[in-house]
Amino acid sequence: MKIVIGEGSCGIAAGAGKVHSALESALGGTQGVDLGLTGCIGMCFLEPIVELRDGETLVRRLVRVSEKDADVIAAAAVSGDLSMLDRLCIQPEDEEFLDKQTRIALRHCGIIDPTGIDEYIACGGYEALKKALLNMTQDQVIEVIKTSGLSGRGGAGFPTWFKWNATRQSPGKKYLICNADEGDPGAFMDRALIESDPHNLIEGMLIAAYAIGSSEAFVYVRAEYPLAIVRLEEAISQAKSRGLLGENILGTDFSCDITIKAGAGAFVCGEETALIESLEGKRGMPRLKPPFPAQKGYKNMPTNINNVETFANVPWIILNGGEAFAAMGNQKSKGTKVFALTGKIKRGGLVEVPMGKTLRDVIFEIGGGMIGKSAFKAVQLGGPSGGCIPADLIDTVIDYSAISATGAIMGSGGMVVLDETTCMVGVARFFLEFTTNESCGKCVHCRIGTKRMKEILERIVKGEGKEGDIELLEELCLAIKDGSLCGLGQSAPNPVLTTIKYFRNEYEEHIRSKHCPAKQCRNLLRYVIDPEVCTGCTACARHCPTSCISGRLKQPHSIDSDKCIRCGMCVSRCKFGAISAE
Amino acid sequence: MSTSGSSDLSLLDGVMSEYSQAPENLITILQKAQDIYGYLPVDVIYYIAQRTGVKPAKIMGVATFYSQFRLEPVGKYLILLCNGTACHVNGSEEIERLIGEKLFIQNGDTTADGLFSLRKVSCLGCCSLSPVMMINDEAYGSLTPEKVIDILDELARNARQEEGL
């Protein structure tokens, strides 16, 4: 029997590390029971997760485990009497979360131990590299990727083979870069892929390096992902010790080294030319394109940049053939896409589905719908560069062109579900605050335009919106799209444009009626006490910081709205639910 | 701005001998320097300039561009409050307001006793536990106002006890 703990960043934040130590001391070196770890199983909503395995077979999956459960788990594993674990076992409907997915990029995540190389090799790891290096020419590798229809999973969806080929054709020393600067708030696919299956990324990168003819590769990882960096560092040294990385890989004349570079916290560095600037030790400010990185990139030499998820698909494609990958998906987009499903969702986590599924499939079939009683309102795709797709477009198909047609973008895979308690103007303001902070400042429209947009949105949520504000926002949006050099500026208006397009009435209600339908904008709220429910216990009045609640003991109280600062303290203090916001 | 200071520059010797030759290593050098000193003191920046040949103004440009770098010392406990989308829709603004009211600091500030610093950061990637904050590399998830108050009180208590010893 083997006990395996899911130890990705999410799991550890939920307490998986403590569970691991507790199990270690509970087992105390008992013979016959091994303790191991794996990466992110993907069911974030059930963390920490502990699995009991018999060889390869999963015997029990235990969820929301705490360190207090360590003794009973250890006892069950030792005695073989698993009935004592019934209360910890995953519910059958939660198993649907994994059962309804198609995992290619995530195929080893939550299964193998990411801290060693052996389990990766045991499940066919580095076989694709062998096949490519020993049996295929560079052109053949590129041809397979072309057949597969693999396109850039970082968001833009550009055909991968085309970039590889362009870099290969350009003269001079070639560089390969993996973009792991996953900056979209609400996205953690790449982090999970690196933490849970680092060798798969290394293998994918090596195949790409071979195809384009590069001997020097970099992984640019966000500094906010310390665990991903550690696991990748370990994996690189393991691969080197097995002759899978470095000089004369697998005895061939192909040599390649991979270096990790930690980012320093700048969203714009997710843009490929800004990333190159940052890699050169400079401020991460985008360059004018053309020349494209495939012509002049790192140190002005031909450079190919792909996202983590793109590389993660490559070994599978080489092993199974381009046709097998292209068989998944629909006419326009091939293969699968990984999403980080979060927000007001019942079952949040990592989801990989074939292209061509609908948003409804992901949110309701896999995600199980909304977490609370509030109804589904919209889904935010693509982070600050993307947009909000409303409930009546829930049957939108997941492919690059169908999603773009809504005004949002596929993006890197952040999928944040919003319900009726989310203010759409507030969401737009949130993203504009983000892009204003992250604009590198090079282009005037992006630097100042986003700031002006943010100011208008702040005015609206404060109840100071004016007639004409919506039109002014739309005008600014178009100007910023036109006047910005890189993707950050060109896409910064998307959250505003899509919320205006689908939720214009919410903007109008804020501006004209000074009312927030989602009851989220503090300045537009009015707290009232229901005299029928109020018992006159005085708890609210005693805790009100501005003493604006009056009333006699055991008599219904009332709030003076002019003095109220809308801190919400009274609501949290009332035991009878008598106070509500209007 | 004074270029001399009280930082022990010899602590950087190892970093310099490994990285100072290539200008593209500047960000790595600054990251390692910040690990050593807790922030980037001005005399350290001038020393790095002297050793790498990169102009001090360029280094300041890089240090101020990236949000990871700090030019001021931080408190004993650095609170990184996640400002990602999932945290936002699950109430991170309330948490920020609460921390501000409790510790009398705003984003970027350090408390007068040097105990706590508050920094809003973009997504920490623990979205399913939102709202989330990270204090000195430990993540705290599913925050509620009560939970935040308990956590801050406990850290303050720990710090007082350590000083008492």
Side-chain angles (χ1 to χ4, degrees):
Chain A
M1 187 74 76
K2 187 170 186 186
I3 304 176
V4 178
I5 304 155
E7 293 183 43
S9 282
C10 291
I12 292 172
K18 288 175 188 156
V19 171
H20 194 131
S21 325
L23 277 167
E24 212 159 45
S25 52
L27 286 168
T30 313
Q31 294 291 313
V33 181
D34 295 328
L35 188 60
L37 64 93
T38 185
C40 177
I41 295 162
M43 296 192 281
C44 303
F45 64 111
L46 297 175
E47 298 281 8
I49 300 175
V50 174
E51 292 183 351
L52 296 183
R53 297 184 193 167
D54 189 5
E56 306 263 294
T57 319
L58 175 65
V59 183
R60 288 283 187 284
R61 180 174 280 140
L62 313 175
V63 299
R64 297 203 179 100
V65 176
S66 87
E67 51 214 283
K68 291 181 206 127
D69 303 319
D71 288 332
V72 63
I73 296 172
V78 172
S79 69
D81 173 17
L82 301 179
S83 63
M84 59 176 99
L85 298 175
D86 286 351
R87 69 180 170 86
L88 291 168
C89 282
I90 186 170
Q91 297 297 313
E93 70 261 26
D94 286 339
E95 291 279 11
E96 285 181 0
F97 182 84
L98 287 182
D99 295 343
K100 292 188 172 172
Q101 300 189 32
T102 305
R103 291 190 155 190
I104 303 294
L106 294 173
R107 65 196 177 284
H108 302 133
C109 294
I111 296 172
I112 63 166
D113 177 357
T115 60
I117 191 170
D118 295 323
E119 291 192 15
Y120 181 70
I121 289 178
C123 63
Y126 289 104
E127 287 300 322
L129 180 68
K130 273 183 204 157
K131 184 176 173 185
L133 290 189
L134 305 176
N135 302 324
M136 294 167 83
T137 65
Q138 291 169 278
D139 286 330
Q140 280 171 333
V141 173
I142 293 176
E143 196 55 38
V144 169
I145 299 298
K146 186 178 180 180
T147 311
S148 75
L150 178 65
S151 55
R153 294 293 191 252
F158 198 76
T160 303
W161 77 272
F162 191 91
K163 281 166 99 167
W164 289 14
N165 196 45
T167 312
R168 172 162 152 69
Q169 304 296 337
S170 298
K173 180 178 163 112
K174 295 167 179 69
Y175 291 98
L176 182 82
I177 300 173
C178 171
N179 183 348
D181 191 46
E182 183 173 53
D184 282 1
F188 51 89
M189 303 75 53
D190 296 347
R191 191 207 70 210
L193 281 166
I194 301 176
E195 285 175 359
S196 312
D197 197 8
H199 285 286
N200 186 42
L201 173 64
I202 294 172
E203 189 177 2
M205 287 181 70
L206 287 173
I207 294 167
Y210 168 70
I212 66 169
S214 166
S215 60
E216 210 175 330
F218 299 96
V219 186
Y220 187 93
V221 195
R222 282 183 86 194
E224 288 89 339
Y225 289 173
L227 183 66
I229 294 177
V230 169
R231 294 222 169 128
L232 194 56
E233 275 170 352
E234 288 171 359
I236 286 175
S237 74
Q238 291 156 3
K240 275 187 184 158
S241 71
R242 302 284 178 103
L244 296 162
L245 183 63
E247 297 294 315
N248 301 104
I249 296 172
L250 293 167
T252 65
D253 55 7
F254 170 64
S255 301
C256 185
D257 215 347
I258 297 179
T259 310
I260 301 172
K261 287 274 188 175
F267 175 69
V268 69
C269 291
E271 200 279 338
E272 55 184 11
T273 60
L275 188 153
I276 289 171
E277 288 282 307
S278 180
L279 213 50
E280 291 178 356
K282 302 178 206 156
R283 289 164 71 96
M285 295 167 96
R287 299 173 182 173
L288 187 66
K289 289 192 278 193
F292 291 94
Q295 301 152 320
K296 278 188 174 188
Y298 182 62
K299 294 184 174 172
N300 278 327
M301 301 310 274
T303 304
N304 177 66
I305 304 188
N306 292 124
N307 165 270
V308 176
E309 191 187 333
T310 313
F311 285 124
N313 281 307
V314 169
W316 190 93
I317 294 172
I318 296 296
L319 276 183
N320 295 279
E323 291 83 2
F325 191 78
M328 291 178 288
N330 63 10
Q331 280 286 309
K332 291 167 186 158
S333 302
K334 305 296 182 193
T336 58
K337 178 78 195 90
V338 182
F339 292 98
L341 186 60
T342 61
K344 307 279 189 180
I345 188 89
K346 198 184 218 165
R347 304 197 283 252
L350 279 181
V351 178
E352 184 171 357
V353 288
M355 300 278 188
K357 289 269 181 191
T358 64
L359 292 171
R360 183 192 296 279
D361 293 334
V362 173
I363 295 168
F364 287 92
E365 294 292 312
I366 294 173
M370 313 307 290
I371 194 167
K373 288 185 186 134
S374 190
F376 172 67
K377 184 175 190 177
V379 56
Q380 210 284 338
L381 285 182
S385 313
C388 295
I389 300 178
D392 49 0
L393 294 180
I394 181 81
D395 289 310
T396 301
V397 168
I398 297 171
D399 73 37
Y400 287 93
S401 56
I403 301 240
S404 298
T406 65
I409 61 164
M410 176 84 89
S412 60
M415 191 183 273
V416 185
V417 177
L418 312 175
D419 67 9
E420 293 292 344
T421 65
T422 314
C423 170
M424 301 313 285
V425 187
V427 167
R429 184 199 59 86
F430 165 76
F431 281 116
L432 260 292
E433 184 181 321
F434 183 87
T435 32
T436 306
N437 285 336
E438 296 294 343
S439 172
C440 79
K442 187 166 183 164
C443 308
V444 180
H445 280 84
C446 176
R447 183 180 71 235
I448 303 174
T450 55
K451 200 174 173 68
R452 292 290 96 87
M453 280 175 72
K454 187 185 91 165
E455 286 166 1
I456 297 169
L457 290 163
E458 274 172 352
R459 210 164 67 209
I460 296 174
V461 298
K462 270 190 195 158
E464 294 161 10
K466 297 182 290 208
E467 283 300 326
D469 273 351
I470 300 178
E471 291 72 18
L472 187 56
L473 278 172
E474 287 173 323
E475 191 186 332
L476 264 168
C477 284
L478 298 179
I480 294 168
K481 271 181 178 288
D482 281 345
S484 303
L485 205 57
C486 83
L488 189 152
Q490 288 163 9
S491 63
N494 287 348
V496 179
L497 283 173
T498 52
T499 48
I500 292 179
K501 183 173 172 189
Y502 299 116
F503 300 95
R504 198 181 182 100
N505 58 332
E506 275 195 36
Y507 279 83
E508 288 168 351
E509 213 166 326
H510 278 79
I511 294 170
R512 291 181 192 153
S513 318
K514 312 293 177 208
H515 177 248
C516 173
K519 297 179 187 170
Q520 287 297 309
C521 298
R522 278 178 58 214
N523 289 55
L524 304 183
L525 292 181
R526 208 170 70 92
Y527 285 102
V528 286
I529 300 177
D530 183 346
E532 300 289 313
V533 184
C534 177
T535 62
C537 74
T538 75
C540 57
R542 277 181 284 125
H543 287 97
C544 175
T546 58
S547 306
C548 70
I549 304 179
S550 54
R552 284 229 201 99
L553 185 67
K554 295 186 180 167
Q555 300 286 322
H557 282 45
S558 64
I559 298 174
D560 179 353
S561 261
D562 292 336
K563 277 161 74 185
C564 174
I565 57 166
R566 290 143 187 114
C567 65
M569 184 63 90
C570 52
V571 180
S572 64
R573 292 291 166 176
C574 180
K575 290 185 188 130
F576 308 97
I579 308 175
S580 59
E582 285 188 340
Chain B
M1 199 186 288
S2 164
T3 61
S4 62
S6 51
S7 308
D8 180 0
L9 300 172
S10 67
L11 296 174
L12 273 174
D13 283 350
V15 177
M16 283 303 164
S17 56
E18 194 174 347
Y19 295 104
S20 67
Q21 284 74 28
E24 64 261 29
N25 289 332
L26 179 60
I27 291 171
T28 309
I29 294 173
L30 294 178
Q31 284 169 333
K32 304 242 177 223
Q34 184 160 287
D35 285 345
I36 294 171
Y37 302 101
Y39 71 110
L40 296 174
V42 172
D43 55 338
V44 168
I45 289 181
Y46 273 89
Y47 178 67
I48 293 171
Q50 185 200 326
R51 293 290 301 268
T52 57
V54 181
K55 296 222 166 26
K58 284 258 180 214
I59 298 183
M60 280 303 279
V62 170
T64 52
F65 185 84
Y66 296 97
S67 62
Q68 187 189 22
F69 297 122
R70 304 180 287 262
L71 300 173
E72 301 284 339
V74 286
K76 182 178 169 68
Y77 299 110
L78 175 60
I79 307 170
L80 301 178
L81 180 64
C82 181
N83 193 31
T85 320
C87 288
H88 175 79
V89 299
N90 282 317
S92 64
E93 280 186 352
E94 278 301 304
I95 305 293
E96 185 191 352
R97 202 156 56 86
L98 179 86
I99 294 173
E101 281 169 9
K102 182 163 171 60
L103 301 177
F104 301 103
I105 50 173
Q106 290 189 334
N107 182 28
D109 295 347
T110 300
T111 52
D113 58 7
L115 218 47
F116 292 100
S117 295
L118 175 63
R119 286 203 157 207
K120 268 163 76 176
V121 292
S122 46
C123 198
L124 292 169
C126 306
C127 305
S128 55
L129 303 170
S130 59
V132 183
M133 65 180 176
M134 196 181 260
I135 303 180
N136 296 5
D137 283 342
E138 179 157 359
Y140 298 86
S142 310
L143 297 175
T144 59
E146 293 77 24
K147 220 167 153 179
V148 172
I149 289 173
D150 287 348
I151 293 165
L152 296 179
D153 284 345
E154 196 190 327
L155 290 175
R157 213 168 29 243
N158 291 351
R160 274 197 301 275
Q161 271 174 6
E162 273 175 39
E163 274 174 27
L165 286 171

